[in-house]
Amino acid sequence: MLFFFLFNFNPLIWEMVNSCLPESIFYNLLRLQNFKTRYSLSESAFACANFLYNKLLEYRLDSVYFQHFQSGYAPNVIGIKRGANQLDSVYIVICCHYDAISDNPYLFAPGADDNGSGTASVLEVCRILSKYNFEKTIRFIFFSGEEQGLLGSYYYCSLAKYINRDSIISAVNIDMIGYSIPQRDSASVIGKPNNPNCQPLVDYFIACADTYTNLKCIRAIIDRPRSDHASFNRFGYLAIHIRENLNVFNPYYHTAGDTIGAGFNDLNLVYEITKAAIATIASLSNPISVSFLPITKNIIYNKNKNNLNLKIAYNPLGQKIAVRNKGMYFIKENSQFKKLIILK
Ligand SMILES: [Zn+2]
């Protein structure tokens, strides 16, 4: 498995990581807290969904939409940044849940740490990555209904698996990253040991954090299905959970006290985790400098399709999940490359 760590330092990724701004993260976090509540069934959760939708439009993603999963619940918000060399159904995910809960959830559930911190972080990852071009497609997903039992992500993943037949290369879930105590300002990088084995993705994230940031990571190979990564795992997809140190208990968890300054107290930790997420998602997605960006028209109307290079998409386990050859795409289904798509 050594070859996973043989990725070179990439100055383009270094540039992306260094354009991350803590004040940009904080500004969005403040905006999220100001919704007063983001309880999935509250009106203001719908307002928050609109806020996220407009943010993704502002970042000029290729596609932005709501995914409604149950009446009464605020929807999932999904943004797609299309890769140059891949199908829309082969992609990397960075996700979080934006809903919150407390003892009086319709009135006040500020959720600054759980999960305003992760939501502000994913928005910042999106703000940065949206300015670059990648070979692979990236999806930025903001789930709702997490606090009612991972409802939004379960719906998304079941559809991805059985209806859309998506090949999700990897998913990184960011949930609760803004609370620390002295000497424990580190991140736990959590992945299942099997079914599926997510250790390579855990190690990949830590290697990216070590290469490009000052983040201290704790490797946690455990089955801890307490956030949206569990929905991906349930349908067989590689997914990990990034959170504040697992050995630190946030006393404001799920209370009205989960506000900036109390439940959220470590902007620097959020900043370092966000940089590590930028590096990980960018590395997985193969950044390309603008001058090498293939022109779509040339591919579509290329008279000699045999000149197209063989393109292979791998997940971090080194498994081929999609192949493009001579203008045709093959997607892996039930361990065979069978779905055939011909470029028009
Ligand atoms: Zn949470």
Side-chain angles (χ1 to χ4, degrees):
M1 289 295 177
L2 186 66
F3 64 91
F4 295 127
F5 305 105
L6 296 178
F7 61 83
N8 293 320
F9 177 85
N10 182 331
L12 201 56
I13 294 177
W14 181 239
E15 180 188 291
M16 293 176 206
V17 166
N18 284 296
S19 29
C20 179
L21 295 171
E23 51 270 47
S24 164
I25 299 170
F26 187 77
Y27 183 82
N28 281 329
L29 175 65
L30 193 60
R31 180 68 193 90
L32 290 162
Q33 175 175 288
N34 284 345
F35 282 105
K36 303 277 192 293
T37 177
R38 298 189 310 278
Y39 186 56
S40 294
L41 296 151
S42 70
E43 267 184 43
S44 78
F46 284 84
C48 182
N50 279 322
F51 161 76
L52 294 167
Y53 182 92
N54 287 322
K55 272 284 168 195
L56 300 183
L57 286 184
E58 182 190 317
Y59 298 149
R60 299 183 176 277
L61 295 184
D62 295 305
S63 177
V64 182
Y65 64 97
F66 293 124
Q67 182 184 53
H68 296 272
F69 56 89
Q70 198 168 318
S71 75
Y73 283 80
N76 297 332
V77 185
I78 299 167
I80 301 175
K81 178 168 178 55
R82 194 156 292 134
N85 289 331
Q86 297 294 342
L87 278 180
D88 284 0
S89 57
V90 183
Y91 55 86
I92 317 277
V93 170
I94 176 148
C95 66
C96 59
H97 73 89
Y98 70 89
D99 65 308
I101 199 165
S102 72
D103 22 34
N104 197 357
Y106 281 99
L107 275 186
F108 197 59
D113 186 34
D114 186 12
N115 185 27
S117 61
T119 308
S121 176
V122 175
L123 279 174
E124 182 66 358
V125 174
C126 184
R127 186 181 73 84
I128 308 285
L129 298 191
S130 63
K131 297 172 185 166
Y132 294 85
N133 295 300
F134 299 89
E135 286 190 2
K136 297 195 175 73
T137 295
I138 306 170
R139 288 196 178 203
F140 303 87
I141 310 181
F142 301 82
F143 291 119
S144 168
E146 193 269 355
E147 301 293 5
Q148 286 75 29
L150 318 182
L151 301 183
S153 58
Y154 181 90
Y155 182 83
Y156 178 88
C157 293
S158 59
L159 228 63
K161 178 77 178 180
Y162 294 117
I163 306 297
N164 301 324
R165 306 281 179 97
D166 291 343
S167 293
I168 302 175
I169 297 166
S170 287
V172 175
N173 174 38
I174 303 192
D175 189 4
M176 291 182 73
I177 57 169
Y179 184 79
S180 73
I181 57 174
Q183 319 302 325
R184 288 194 178 171
D185 54 342
S186 46
S188 287
V189 183
I190 306 163
K192 282 185 77 171
N194 47 48
N195 284 325
N197 172 6
C198 297
Q199 294 180 65
L201 187 54
V202 167
D203 293 335
Y204 194 94
F205 184 94
I206 294 173
C208 288
D210 287 347
T211 306
Y212 295 102
T213 78
N214 297 317
L215 182 65
K216 289 167 274 181
C217 291
I218 298 170
R219 189 175 187 270
I221 306 304
I222 47 170
D223 186 5
R224 192 175 182 280
R226 292 178 55 184
S227 185
D228 295 309
H229 62 290
S231 295
F232 289 90
N233 291 160
R234 186 172 179 148
F235 292 98
Y237 295 121
L238 284 188
I240 55 171
H241 177 196
I242 314 302
R243 61 157 278 162
E244 62 215 22
N245 190 317
L246 264 177
N247 300 315
V248 174
F249 174 70
N250 186 338
Y252 304 96
Y253 174 67
H254 286 182
T255 73
D258 187 2
T259 55
I260 295 168
F264 179 97
N265 68 0
D266 194 341
L267 180 61
N268 189 57
L269 180 60
V270 179
Y271 175 53
E272 292 297 333
I273 288 176
T274 304
K275 288 194 293 181
I278 291 168
T280 302
I281 300 299
S283 300
L284 285 168
S285 309
N286 299 351
I288 38 184
S289 54
V290 177
S291 53
F292 295 119
L293 187 69
I295 301 161
T296 313
K297 270 190 172 176
N298 283 356
I299 291 176
I300 292 173
Y301 298 109
N302 194 333
K303 281 175 187 159
N304 185 1
K305 283 181 180 161
N306 293 333
N307 280 346
L308 285 173
N309 291 329
L310 182 74
K311 297 281 179 188
I312 304 171
Y314 294 95
N315 67 20
L317 287 174
Q319 297 162 332
K320 287 181 196 176
I321 61 171
V323 173
R324 190 185 81 183
N325 189 18
K326 297 175 183 174
M328 289 180 287
Y329 274 106
F330 302 83
I331 286 203
K332 196 169 187 179
E333 256 178 37
N334 305 324
S335 59
Q336 282 184 321
F337 289 97
K338 61 179 184 184
K339 192 193 269 183
L340 174 68
I341 292 145
I342 300 167
L343 288 180
K344 287 169 197 159

